[in-house]
Amino acid sequence: MAETSSTDATIRRLRADDAAAFKAIRLEALKANPELIGSTFELEDSLDVTWFAARLEDTHVLGAFQDGALVGTVGFAIQQGPKNVHKGRMFGMYVRPSARQLGIARLLVNALLDVARGQVGLIQLTVVSDNQATRRLYESVGFLEFGREPKASKYGDRYFDESHMALDFGRAEDFG
């Protein structure tokens, strides 16, 4: 994917040499919003930067940069197995609080969809059901909810439902 930019951010694929910045933003996300990400701070804090470097080479993770600093991420992976390779998975969406409300999340999602569109027919994601702002963003680009998983995750003593959403590129014209 070519680098894309707006007046506020540059979006590009993260590579192994971005691993330290990627680990830092992941740890920030896990501290700030542990309920929104399937991993834990304790687990990822214990991982070496080389683990993050390998992950960046094995998956397609996009980063949003402002003034050279990584301020947002989103990932894409093609599902495994011959019956599932037509499906992709979007994961790890996070924008630092200082960079929110600037359209960076939309830039990341649109850039990811450009990558996915050429590789899969359908892209899926899960989002905490009461995360209304993020759900609205996904719906605005064409994702539809196809199910809800009660108590999908638990953080502390609180359970979180997750909405399962998908965007079928074959039906993308339905979403204008």
Side-chain angles (χ1 to χ4, degrees):
M1 175 194 155
E3 240 179 54
T4 61
S5 64
S6 76
T7 55
D8 295 315
T10 300
I11 310 294
R12 68 168 173 82
R13 183 172 182 178
L14 300 180
R15 294 295 188 177
D17 58 350
D18 297 303
F22 179 60
K23 179 178 181 178
I25 199 169
R26 286 280 300 174
L27 293 177
E28 176 185 313
L30 287 163
K31 255 189 172 173
N33 299 105
E35 75 280 5
L36 300 182
I37 299 174
S39 188
T40 66
F41 177 87
E42 294 76 18
L43 172 67
E44 293 200 17
D45 189 38
S46 71
L47 298 171
D48 189 83
V49 170
T50 57
W51 183 90
F52 289 90
R55 183 173 185 192
L56 291 175
E57 291 302 320
D58 293 342
T59 58
H60 199 104
V61 178
L62 298 178
F65 293 83
Q66 283 186 313
D67 299 321
L70 182 61
V71 297
T73 61
V74 67
F76 167 72
I78 297 173
Q79 294 187 22
Q80 299 299 304
K83 293 183 178 181
N84 293 315
V85 295
H86 67 289
K87 295 186 286 187
R89 178 134 189 86
M90 188 171 108
F91 63 89
M93 168 60 89
Y94 180 74
V95 175
R96 288 191 159 137
S98 63
R100 291 182 186 163
Q101 305 300 318
L102 302 174
I104 291 173
R106 182 173 298 279
L107 287 173
L108 281 165
V109 170
N110 286 334
L112 183 124
L113 293 177
D114 287 345
V115 170
R117 190 175 283 110
Q119 299 181 49
V120 296
L122 179 84
I123 188 161
Q124 299 174 319
L125 60 84
T126 59
V127 59
V128 171
S129 296
D130 61 5
N131 186 346
Q132 293 299 320
T134 303
R135 286 171 45 104
R136 279 192 301 275
L137 169 64
Y138 296 152
E139 289 168 352
S140 76
V141 297
F143 281 91
L144 298 174
E145 183 174 320
F146 66 89
R148 188 175 289 219
E149 181 180 356
K151 296 184 176 181
S153 62
K154 182 179 179 186
Y155 183 74
D157 292 334
R158 187 166 171 214
Y159 291 98
F160 295 90
D161 295 353
E162 288 185 357
S163 296
H164 296 262
M165 302 181 83
L167 190 155
D168 182 341
F169 290 119
R171 296 193 56 206
E173 65 277 359
D174 294 348
F175 305 107

